Amino acid sequence: MAIVNHPRVRSLGLALLLALAPAAAVQAQVSVGIHIGVNLPAYPTLVAVPGYPVYYAPQASANYFFYDGLYWVYVDDNWYASSWYNGPWALTSRDYVPLFVLRIPVRYYRHPPPYFSGWRVDAPPRWDDHWGPDWAQRRPGWDRWDRSKTPAAAPLPRYQQKYPGDRYPNAVEQQREILRQNYRHAPREAVTREHFRAGVPEAPRRVEPVAPQRGPARDDRIAPAPQRPTPPAQAGPRPQKPVQPKPQVGPACEPGEPGCRPGKPARVAPSRQQPDEEKNNGPRR
């Protein structure tokens, strides 16, 4: 990893920009595509700082750290942040650099500036002396905290190991999409939340489809639901039993013929038989 020092004129220009930036709200001073002389060809090796929720890069010749989901670099008396290990970098006002970044002991700065000389290596840089009493008044108690309540370190975005060299996504929109799909971290620092809000768009909320209104027109492609048969009891009045027609009397048939059933002999009225008998047999005595 190569670190290139910029001319002092650039450093003074950036410092002037920070001095003129308004401090009315918590925000990061972002300049997309800014070059700070840090060029990492691959994902760096990051090691946890003992007792701090911070990582540092021991093999880098730069003051390179990771905290709360962002990479932090200290170059030419300015702090820069990025959600990807090789930028682009956002210039961050020293009034909003997270306190745990400012508390990193001097020994973990791999490229310390000359004014760190003589400072204790097991203590943070003396920012109050370096940046003056006005800054110390705006950040009171920056170097004191309850060490028993130190928060846990944020997870490392190791998915970025798959993007070295030419595979590195230089397009900001592509970085946002890859980060959104692979990194789940709820930042605790206000400046980190502001950076993520400005750099990573929120996932769109799911909108439930509105049920279509029923109308006379129907889609021919959808088969109608089968109708249930109406029970017989609810179909209406009971049908009447059909009346069997009376068989008509046909001509007599000979006994023994198929289908012939002999009928009963017809009764003859006596009034009609008596004249015949008298005619044939004569009158009775």
Side-chain angles (χ1 to χ4, degrees), residues 55-271:
Y55 294 85
Y56 80 107
Q59 299 177 359
S61 57
N63 306 310
Y64 192 99
F65 308 98
F66 180 84
Y67 169 70
D68 198 33
L70 295 179
Y71 302 91
W72 297 89
V73 177
Y74 182 65
V75 176
D76 292 337
D77 203 23
N78 294 305
W79 283 100
Y80 301 87
S82 175
S83 57
W84 277 77
Y85 70 87
N86 201 30
W89 301 95
L91 178 63
T92 305
S93 170
R94 62 187 60 163
D95 288 344
Y96 301 120
V97 176
L99 294 180
F100 278 104
V101 174
L102 299 177
R103 293 166 179 166
I104 300 172
V106 169
R107 67 165 46 125
Y108 297 102
Y109 285 75
R110 311 312 297 167
H111 189 66
Y115 41 85
F116 278 24
S117 179
W119 292 351
R120 289 178 51 183
V121 296
D122 59 345
R126 295 160 57 177
W127 301 116
D128 47 359
D129 293 343
H130 179 65
W131 287 333
D134 291 340
W135 178 88
Q137 187 176 4
R138 293 192 300 269
R139 309 295 300 267
W142 67 272
D143 57 344
R144 299 187 302 273
W145 76 98
D146 187 352
R147 294 181 180 269
S148 64
K149 297 181 180 179
T150 301
L156 292 173
R158 299 187 186 276
Y159 68 92
Q160 297 182 10
Q161 293 176 348
K162 300 183 297 184
Y163 302 93
D166 295 338
R167 298 191 60 190
Y168 190 83
N170 293 303
V172 176
E173 293 297 333
Q174 185 181 7
Q175 289 185 354
R176 295 174 182 176
E177 182 61 22
I178 297 174
L179 187 147
R180 185 185 65 83
Q181 295 178 1
N182 294 275
Y183 193 62
R184 299 291 181 269
H185 169 63
R188 62 185 303 273
E189 298 285 350
V191 64
T192 313
R193 291 193 297 268
E194 182 66 24
H195 186 101
F196 280 3
R197 187 179 299 112
V200 182
E202 297 181 358
R205 295 182 179 180
R206 180 181 177 183
V207 179
E208 297 294 337
V210 180
Q213 297 181 356
R214 295 183 178 179
R218 297 186 60 177
D219 192 349
D220 295 337
R221 294 173 298 178
I222 302 176
Q227 298 182 356
R228 294 184 179 180
T230 307
Q234 301 178 357
R238 259 179 152 176
Q240 297 181 357
K241 186 176 181 180
V243 179
Q244 297 292 337
K246 294 182 179 181
Q248 297 181 359
V249 179
C253 60
E254 294 294 333
E257 291 183 1
C260 179
R261 296 180 61 183
K264 295 181 179 181
R267 297 180 61 183
V268 180
S271 59

Side-chain angles (χ1 to χ4, degrees), residues 1-6 34-44 59-62 64 73 75 85-87 89 164-166 168 170:
M1 290 173 282
I3 303 298
V4 180
N5 290 328
H6 288 276
I34 188 172
H35 298 284
I36 61 175
V38 177
N39 184 19
L40 281 71
Y43 187 81
Q59 299 177 359
S61 57
Y64 192 99
V73 177
V75 176
Y85 70 87
N86 201 30
W89 301 95
D166 295 338
Y168 190 83
N170 293 303

